[in-house]
Amino acid sequence: MLSARSLFQEILDDDESFRLFCSIAASGESQGGWENARIAALVPPGERGLAPKIARHGADEDKHGRIFRALLKKRGLAPAPVPPETDYTALLERHGIGLAHDRLRADRPLGVPDIVTYLAHSRVTEQRASEQMELLRRHFADHPDMGRAVRMISDDEDNHLAYCHEELLRLAAAGHGRAIQRTLRACALAEIRIYRDVSLAVMAHMGRILGWPGAKSALLALGIHAVYAYERVLGWRRMVSLRMPEHRNALDRPATEYA
């Protein structure tokens, strides 16, 4: 029977598919680390209290990149080149979601609208990351090689999502509510399309590596399209709602490191 667990298990059991999986993940996390570090350095004067939280967010993303590279090293594998069509983070930036890298490379402070854009983008993408890691945690929390990494990254992604909710609600109370909702909706609708395209590309590469029969690849592609159809009609709304998290100040807590 084709299930999320059996699919991930098949990818993890094969060195080449595992190598590609970890390489894609490490690349995206490292890119997110750079983006957050630059944003932390450019926070406008009136929002300087955010800088340590954004820097912590970036440090966590860097840590996740190191974790995936460590998993590769543990199996004696070198990172694989990341196919451009599987680069979720780069594709989001290319489609104008979040802050452009050219803007982040410029040494001039961001404005509050930029911070709204950053937090809205993060709220949408962290929702995806939190859900993906929860899925892996459900099936592989006790895996001898992946378990500790999955649990740690899952906790971090939940903290990042909570922080985005809290800060966006603070900015909404300060009068930015309409801009926040408009930006969240645009980010969510773009993200679900890019996530579909990246998912199809990743599964195509995995299918070639693992020698999947055409029927299996077609069934997986059908499932990805079905998820997109649901998200396009209704599911995107979960990415734009805001609620105060149960645990406040999630990024003020001590960071955990992966050894």
Side-chain angles (χ1 to χ4, degrees):
M1 179 180 177
L2 190 59
S3 65
R5 180 182 177 85
S6 66
L7 183 65
F8 278 118
Q9 190 67 61
E10 191 175 356
I11 291 170
L12 297 180
D13 286 346
D14 180 88
D15 278 352
E16 280 306 305
S17 56
F18 180 76
R19 179 177 177 236
L20 181 59
F21 170 79
C22 288
S23 298
I24 292 171
S27 175
E29 297 285 0
S30 296
Q31 187 63 52
W34 177 84
E35 290 173 358
N36 278 277
R38 288 302 299 152
I39 293 166
L42 300 173
V43 166
E47 292 290 337
R48 292 307 300 172
L50 263 180
K53 298 178 182 181
I54 299 172
R56 162 68 187 280
H57 188 175
D60 284 347
E61 304 288 0
D62 280 335
K63 177 183 69 178
H64 300 167
R66 293 195 302 274
I67 289 172
F68 285 111
R69 289 190 291 273
L71 291 170
L72 286 172
K73 185 177 180 180
K74 187 174 182 179
R75 276 175 64 164
L77 301 171
V82 175
E85 65 274 18
T86 70
D87 194 333
Y88 171 80
T89 306
L91 288 169
L92 286 171
E93 195 263 343
R94 191 179 306 159
H95 284 80
I97 305 304
L99 296 174
H101 287 184
D102 287 347
R103 178 66 183 89
L104 296 182
R105 293 188 184 97
D107 288 323
R108 66 181 190 276
L110 299 169
V112 173
D114 296 317
I115 296 301
V116 167
T117 296
Y118 154 69
L119 285 169
H121 164 252
S122 295
R123 187 262 176 270
V124 169
T125 56
E126 293 297 337
Q127 177 79 37
R128 182 74 70 186
S130 177
E131 290 171 354
Q132 288 182 319
M133 292 311 303
E134 175 57 30
L135 177 64
L136 286 175
R137 186 172 193 151
R138 194 180 313 142
H139 297 302
F140 296 102
D142 297 323
H143 190 277
D145 295 325
M146 293 284 293
R148 182 164 176 259
V150 164
R151 294 192 303 272
M152 181 177 290
I153 296 173
S154 180
D155 286 342
D156 287 346
E157 302 296 9
D158 289 347
N159 286 337
H160 299 165
L161 183 57
Y163 142 79
C164 292
H165 276 273
E166 187 170 358
E167 295 302 332
L168 284 168
L169 285 169
R170 178 182 64 82
L171 288 170
H176 301 283
R178 287 190 176 181
I180 289 169
Q181 284 302 318
R182 184 171 61 250
T183 308
L184 281 171
R185 187 178 190 277
C187 284
L189 292 175
E191 191 278 342
I192 63 173
R193 185 180 68 253
I194 291 167
Y195 179 73
R196 175 202 61 190
D197 294 345
V198 167
S199 297
L200 289 169
V202 170
M203 288 300 105
H205 281 279
M206 293 300 178
R208 286 192 288 271
I209 291 170
L210 296 168
W212 288 341
K216 181 174 181 177
S217 294
L219 183 60
L220 287 169
L222 183 64
I224 291 168
H225 283 293
V227 169
Y228 171 72
Y230 165 74
E231 292 194 330
R232 185 67 182 81
V233 174
L234 186 63
W236 64 273
R237 297 179 186 278
R238 78 190 189 285
M239 295 179 161
V240 303
S241 63
L242 294 174
R243 65 184 183 281
M244 190 58 70
E246 182 179 349
H247 301 294
R248 306 280 293 273
N249 301 312
L251 296 191
D252 288 342
R253 301 171 193 170
T256 53
E257 191 52 77
Y258 183 84

